[in-house]
Amino acid sequence: MSVRWGLVGASTIARQFMINAIRAQSDGEIAAVMSSSPERATAYARENGIPAAVSTLDALLKSDIDAVYISTTNELHLEQALAAARAGKHVLCEKPLALTSADARTMVAAARAAGIVLGTNHHLRNAGAHRAMREAIAAGRIGKPIAARVFHSVYLPENLQGWRITKPEAGGGVVLDITVHDADTLRFVLGDDPLEVSAFTQSAGMAGSGLEDGAMCIWRFKSGVIAQSHEGFTTKFADTGFEVHGSDGSLIASNVMTQKPAGSVMLRTAKGEEQLSFDREDLYSRSLRQFHAAIRGEGQPAATGEDGIWSLTAAEAALQSANSGKVVRIDPKLGSID
Ligand code: NDP
């Protein structure tokens, strides 16, 4: 039986990655797209070969679909996910799950009560590079992890220089856009949760309306690992990377904070340097495959709703730290709904 998807939002991310990822599944089908503008819905459906276009969520949820992929602007995720859960549709929701972690918890609780699968589309967990790093750490190949560094400052492409840099009410700003991914990827690779964060943010000339377009965060994890992460929209010439340094070795990954199955991971120990091999499957396609399996009752989405609560809780704490000038503790209980 195929999974029939309804797209909530005529978005760039769906057009660039998720439509292909759904169609890459042997059991994936896109039945309809919803846009708040009837004209945009029709045009988007035509351009992407989607059979139906609707302009209300109600109409989408009443159509013959099993799941929705929500990729509207961030302030809309909460109500759309709650409505989908009420209608018994599975939900794959973009990050950040909502504007606040309290709202994200409401979404996850509603999904649980409705018995539907809810996943967060943190694509980086699906990258072969990050899975290879997680496995190497879990296998003890760098000894005891001590410190991590994430380089994830990019240049926001011109076609995306809209709500992210102008609309606080839509959940703009680099922290809700990229720090959530870094918090999630650190948790995934280290197999650990952050306990404290200290952050500085800046407005380096791109974002307006009081929004930040750059952030540097320092995290302390439960195990004692300390980490730094740098997120930005304004650095045209920077590389991305992810490093984890341990007592017996270092993992040094280059060009891996990306939407493509790209980059390299090098393990350096007393024995020398080794390039780790890893699979190059499309990140979004793997996310979909795991989500379909979760619908069949086999395992969980690559990033669950609770992972989405965690990443948003961490991002919120980073913003709070930047605004207050203080170190902010992250209550581990806030990362779950139990
Ligand atoms: P877009 O700006 O492309 O789309 C967001 C919404 O903007 C759409 O739902 C659409 O509303 C509206 N919109 C799109 N084009 C137009 C237009 N020409 N005129 C007016 N309104 C328009 O956002 P993104 O695709 O970049 O991001 C969407 C979500 O996905 C966000 O939550 C973001 O954080 C997340 N994201 C996640 C990524 C990942 O790798 N996990 C990567 C990129 C984004 P309507 O549907 O009503 O037409």
Side-chain angles (χ1 to χ4, degrees), residues 8-15 34-37 40-41 69-74 76-77 94-96 121-123 159-160 163-164 176-177 181 259 284:
V8 181
S11 69
T12 309
I13 175 75
R15 179 161 42 75
M34 184 223 107
S35 165
S36 57
S37 144
R40 218 166 38 242
Y69 166 58
I70 299 176
S71 62
T72 46
T73 47
N74 303 328
L76 300 173
H77 297 176
E94 269 307 339
K95 43 49 66 171
N121 206 28
H122 278 307
H123 61 294
N159 66 313
L160 295 183
W163 57 269
R164 279 178 178 78
L176 288 186
D177 201 49
H181 279 315
Q259 295 175 291
Y284 298 93

Side-chain angles (χ1 to χ4, degrees), residues 34-99:
M34 184 223 107
S35 165
S36 57
S37 144
E39 294 76 30
R40 218 166 38 242
T42 308
Y44 195 92
R46 190 179 54 242
E47 284 157 21
N48 295 288
I50 299 170
V54 296
S55 58
T56 66
L57 186 59
D58 203 35
L60 186 76
L61 294 175
K62 282 190 176 134
S63 68
D64 179 19
I65 57 169
D66 307 298
V68 294
Y69 166 58
I70 299 176
S71 62
T72 46
T73 47
N74 303 328
E75 83 284 15
L76 300 173
H77 297 176
L78 168 69
E79 289 307 326
Q80 291 170 336
L82 293 181
R86 277 195 301 272
K89 312 295 181 190
H90 304 290
V91 177
L92 179 56
C93 186
E94 269 307 339
K95 43 49 66 171
L97 279 187
L99 295 187

Side-chain angles (χ1 to χ4, degrees), residues 27 29 39 42 47 61 79-80 89 95 98 103 118 139 160-161 164 199 206 222 227 240 267 291 297 309 319 325 331:
D27 57 349
E29 202 181 319
E39 294 76 30
T42 308
E47 284 157 21
L61 294 175
E79 289 307 326
Q80 291 170 336
K89 312 295 181 190
K95 43 49 66 171
D103 285 349
L118 185 144
L160 295 183
Q161 290 180 22
R164 279 178 178 78
M206 183 185 282
K222 273 185 196 154
T240 72
L267 171 66
F291 194 87
I309 299 175
L319 282 173
D331 181 349

